[in-house]
Each structure stands twice: as structure tokens, then as C-alpha cells.
Amino acid sequence: MENKMFCFQCEQTAGCSGCTGKVGVCGKNADVAALQDKLTGELIGLVRATGDVVPTGNVLKLIIEGLFTTLTNVSFNEQTLNELIEKVCTERERLVPQCFACASPCGTNNEYDLSHIWTDNEDIRSLKSLILFGIRGMAAYAYHAMVLGYTNDEVSHFFVKALFALGEDWGMDKLLPIVMELGKVNLVCMEMLDKANTGTYGTPTPITIDLKVEKGPFIIISGHDLLDLKLLLEQTKDKGINIYTHGEMLPAHGYPELKKYKHLKGNFGTAWQNQQKEFANVPAPILFTTNCLMPPKDGYSDRVFTTEVVSYPEITHIGDDKDFTPIIEKALELGGYDEDKQFTGINGGTSVTTGFGHGTILSVADKVIDAVKSGAIKHFFLVGGCDGARVGRNYYTDFVKQTPDDTIILTLACSKYRFNDLDLGTIIGGLPRIMDMGQCNDAYGAIKVAIALAEAFECEVNELPLSMILSWYEQKAVCILLTLLHLGIKNIRLGPTLPAFISPNVLGYLVENYNIAKITTPEEDLKNILG
């Protein structure tokens, strides 16, 4: 492997242009980055070898798992990446053995070299990056649905179509429609995940969660995978061990089939990027289920466990058998705190609320509509997305604090930790002004609410008193943005920086057609929005 990388898929990429050294900002080294590119190239080779068919069974699982594994903050482990690469190669050879016995190989079915993308014309590189990063994000949603038994032929086929396009020498005229189609298909994928989660765990309902950790043994679970949480709750039942969510797992408290477990006690910590500080002296093990892992510090690495596609060298991994015994034993060994310990959010609040999914909000839609018509509600702000450590993200806290009392803040994903412990009072029917709609995985819910309001007022979504103030960090934010563009939603404010992989020409297209703008200051943006 070479000892340098090129990677610009996340918001914190070095110099807002690309990580090119031996270690990326996320913590992955150049060898891991090269293996992730190799894995992606093998997936492109797989779909080119097998043809334009809807993948099922092991092929579908390999495509989804392979793409998800290359998401930021998922895998830092060369061994597991090599094992997955070998699985893809084996599957390709099994499906098309004639290619491997061919005396005159054409080369089109081999591993694709991703350096062709990174060194291409900047506009082609930009569009192919949107496709690649978008399907990586969509693969995360498809993965969570797949483990619950849900798949969709349109979604599955598009993974093949998009991967095939990445390996072709196509111009902008052929790539741009695929970029926009990705947004359309991702909406289908997010709807599928919504059905999977609500069909399995029930419709979320509002709940207030104390940020106190009770004395005694406990386990912290981070990430997005609700099935992992359910299995952990089952295996720790009646063992005297409490479970606390972290980061994007917070909205799990709203699901009836999860909050019925009395030892699902509360939430520990804030967003993913604070974990190295927050986990430093915690007398409990931490389970990472999805793309939230930062390289564990020596002071707590012996307490970190991973599962599913998450992997880090020398960290204990819970395999497909989902036997959480090592975590349970570690929790009992560490013993937890000797007495109850009160923690607070970033702004000093001692509790947070969640569970305001589309089912809850639409159940009071008539009251919301009447409040808008009467002037009691002047504006809706969707302030959500990924959090991160780059300077300037305090913008989102300041923005929410400055919103008028007659406005509602809808939020989702981990950026809410910037402000979700604030008490901004209530509005119609005692609803809090800040309503947490869930994980980034629940973005479909926010879209459904916006469409329902537009239908109620017999107008377009762009005509609603609704503004989207979004933050981004990784690839799931890319596919969500493309879905919003597919729906024709305009005037999105995006930050804290614009993606490094967007070329000036592609950015110009987005600005001209959708009026996307970078955030400025809370004061200036509120003035422009509210007039």
C-alpha cells in the first residue's frame, strides 16, 4: 500500500480540499483509505461482471455492506476490509467463472481503480463523487432496513446502476441524471427504513429523558442500529445493568417496543465528535453499532466494543451471533458509578426530549394548520443534520436561540445536541418549540410532514413558511440533500462549509436551479428569511 491517501468525502476534510497525508482527519490511515477504495473498485467490478440485474441474496448483502463499510467513521480495520474484499472477489468469480478462464480478458470486469475518479476532470469528479458518496449514504439506510427483513427492488437495482456508471467514461450529460435519480431512489429507501422501524418497534411518541446516570453497572450504546439495541436490552434484562443511549441512538427512547424495557434508562453524552472526552473516565463499556466511531483513546479503549460493519484494530468485535456476553461481563466488572451522577447537555440542561416523529406531528396537524392561519405560528425551521468539530458550528446553537417565540424548530440527527437541552418554552397545545424528529435515518419523516403541510395549504413546499438550515458531515447528508433537490425544494442553507467535492460548475448549477446558499451569520440569515 502507498503511504499517502486522497479523501475528501467528509465535511472536515483537511484544508476544505482533501486529506492527502498518512492519516485523515477522521483518524483512518492511508492503508485503510486505499483498502476502502479497493473495496469500492471491487464492487464496481462485481456489478459490471454480473450485468444489469436486480441483486438479491449474497450479492445484495455484499453491495450494501461494502458501501456502508466505506462510510466515514465506520471501519478503521485493514483485516476486516481485506476479508470483505475477498468475499466480493469470490462472489464475482462464482457468478462469472468464464471471465476468469478467458484467454483474452477484456478488463471491464476487473477491479476498478478509483484513482481514475480522483484525477478526472473536476466536473466529472464532482458528479461521480456525488453518486459514490450518495450511494454510500443510501447503503446505510438500506442496511438498517435489510437487517429487519426489508428490501426494495428499485433501491437494489439503483445500487447496480450507480456503481456501473462510476466505472464508465461518461460525460456530464449522462452523469447528472443519475445524480438526480439518486435523490428519487433515496426517498424510496428512506420510506422503506421508516416502515421497517415503525413496523418493528411501533410509532414513536414524545418522551422527556433525564441526563442522569443512576448508580450501578451500565452500558452505553452508540450509533443508529435499533436492532442491536433491542438485542442488547433482551440480553441484559434482569441482570441489574442499565442501558444508556449515546449520540444518534437517543431517538430510540420514543419507540414503544424499546422504551418498554425499564432498564433503558436515559441518554449519556452528546454528539459523536465529543466521545473521546466524554468516555475518558466512564466506568462502563461502550458499544458502537454504526458510523459514529472515533479512534478510541488508550484510557478507555479496553471498554469499547463494536458490532455489525464497525471495526477497529484490537477492539473486541461482536459477530453475527450477537452474543453480548463480553460487554455484559465488562459492565459488571466495572460496576458503574457509586452514586447517581447528574450530567448536562452542552447548554447546561438536565433533560432532553425526543419522539416527535411524523406520526406524532401529523396527529396534531389540524391544530398546527389553525395556528398558522391565526398567526400563532409564523414560521417553521428545520435545523438539523450532522454535527462535527469544525469551528463555526456554534452557528446552529445561536440560530435556534435567536428564533422568535412564534416559530417552531424541527430537528433531527446529531446536530440537535448543539441546542436540544435548551428550554425555549412551548407553543400550541403545550408542544415544545424544539421537536426532535429522530435520527438522520428519520429524515423521511421531516419530508413527509413538509409535504403534508403543503397539501393542507394547497401550495408547493417552497411556498410554506418553512426554512431548512442544514449542517452536514458525512455521506448520509449527501443523499438526503439530493432527495430534497429531487423534490424541488429550494433555498436550503447549508454549512458550516460547502462540500470540497463540489466543483464550481456543479455548485453553480445547484445555486442557479435550487438557490442553495452557504450559511452566513444567524442574524443575517434570520433577517433574510423572516424579512
Side-chain angles (χ1 to χ4, degrees), residues 157-176:
H157 181 257
F158 186 79
F159 283 126
V160 169
K161 182 177 183 177
L163 283 167
F164 184 88
L166 291 173
E168 293 299 293
D169 187 21
W170 288 350
M172 294 182 68
D173 59 328
K174 295 187 72 172
L175 291 172
L176 186 58

Side-chain angles (χ1 to χ4, degrees), residues 299-322:
Y300 66 89
S301 60
D302 64 323
R303 291 176 270 130
V304 172
F305 296 80
T306 60
T307 191
E308 294 295 341
V309 296
V310 188
S311 187
Y312 196 88
E314 299 181 5
I315 294 296
T316 302
H317 186 77
I318 306 300
D320 293 340
D321 62 357
K322 294 297 181 181

Side-chain angles (χ1 to χ4, degrees), residues 195-267:
K195 289 179 180 178
N197 283 336
T198 56
T200 305
Y201 307 112
T203 300
T205 55
I207 184 172
T208 298
I209 301 155
D210 196 343
L211 300 182
K212 176 177 65 178
V213 174
E214 296 182 8
K215 67 179 181 180
F218 66 99
I219 296 170
I220 299 168
I221 180 168
S222 187
H224 307 73
D225 201 288
L226 301 179
L227 179 57
D228 286 327
L229 173 59
K230 174 71 181 298
L231 295 172
L232 181 63
L233 288 167
E234 278 292 328
Q235 293 182 39
T236 51
K237 189 168 55 177
D238 303 323
K239 285 185 167 60
I241 299 173
N242 290 328
I243 306 299
Y244 292 85
T245 56
H246 169 265
E248 285 275 59
M249 198 63 81
L250 167 66
H253 291 273
Y255 288 93
E257 290 301 308
L258 296 175
K259 65 181 178 183
K260 71 180 184 182
Y261 292 90
K262 301 303 181 185
H263 62 301
L264 178 59
K265 287 291 185 178
N267 190 72

Side-chain angles (χ1 to χ4, degrees), residues 459-518:
C459 67
E460 300 295 324
V461 171
N462 291 316
E463 297 172 316
L464 288 171
L466 167 68
S467 299
M468 297 191 180
I469 317 296
L470 306 181
S471 58
W472 81 283
Y473 174 74
E474 42 86 355
Q475 296 76 64
K476 285 187 280 186
V478 175
C479 59
I480 291 172
L481 177 62
L482 293 178
T483 293
L484 296 175
L485 300 186
H486 156 70
L487 293 169
I489 294 174
K490 299 183 178 181
N491 303 313
I492 297 169
R493 284 171 167 79
L494 184 65
T497 63
L498 295 178
F501 51 82
I502 299 292
S503 68
N505 285 335
V506 174
L507 178 61
Y509 173 86
L510 296 178
V511 172
E512 179 181 353
N513 289 276
Y514 300 99
N515 200 29
I516 287 180
K518 182 179 179 296

Side-chain angles (χ1 to χ4, degrees), residues 20-148:
T20 57
K22 295 182 178 181
V23 180
V25 173
C26 69
K28 70 182 177 186
N29 63 43
D31 287 347
V32 167
L35 285 171
Q36 290 180 343
D37 279 2
K38 180 176 175 62
L39 173 56
T40 305
E42 291 289 359
L43 291 172
I44 293 172
L46 175 65
V47 303
R48 292 170 70 164
T50 55
D52 188 29
V53 297
V54 177
T56 58
N58 197 46
V59 175
L60 178 61
K61 183 176 184 296
L62 280 173
I63 290 173
I64 292 175
E65 185 176 341
L67 288 169
F68 190 8
T69 298
T70 60
L71 210 68
T72 304
N73 294 95
V74 172
S75 180
F76 299 80
N77 196 332
E78 294 177 42
Q79 178 182 341
T80 54
L81 287 166
N82 274 314
E83 290 171 355
L84 191 50
I85 288 168
E86 184 61 30
K87 288 180 181 179
V88 177
C89 292
T90 300
E91 189 66 16
R92 178 162 55 98
E93 186 170 1
R94 183 186 71 81
L95 292 170
V96 285
Q98 67 274 15
C99 288
F100 293 84
C102 182
S104 302
C106 61
T108 58
N109 300 329
N110 298 336
E111 170 200 343
Y112 179 78
D113 185 352
L114 249 64
S115 67
H116 294 322
I117 295 178
W118 310 144
T119 58
D120 209 331
N121 166 280
E122 66 174 359
D123 293 329
I124 300 301
R125 181 178 75 165
S126 183
L127 292 176
K128 285 193 173 183
S129 294
L130 279 168
I131 295 169
L132 175 58
F133 302 156
I135 60 173
R136 284 176 173 176
M138 190 169 77
Y141 301 137
Y143 188 96
H144 294 306
M146 182 175 64
V147 298
L148 295 177

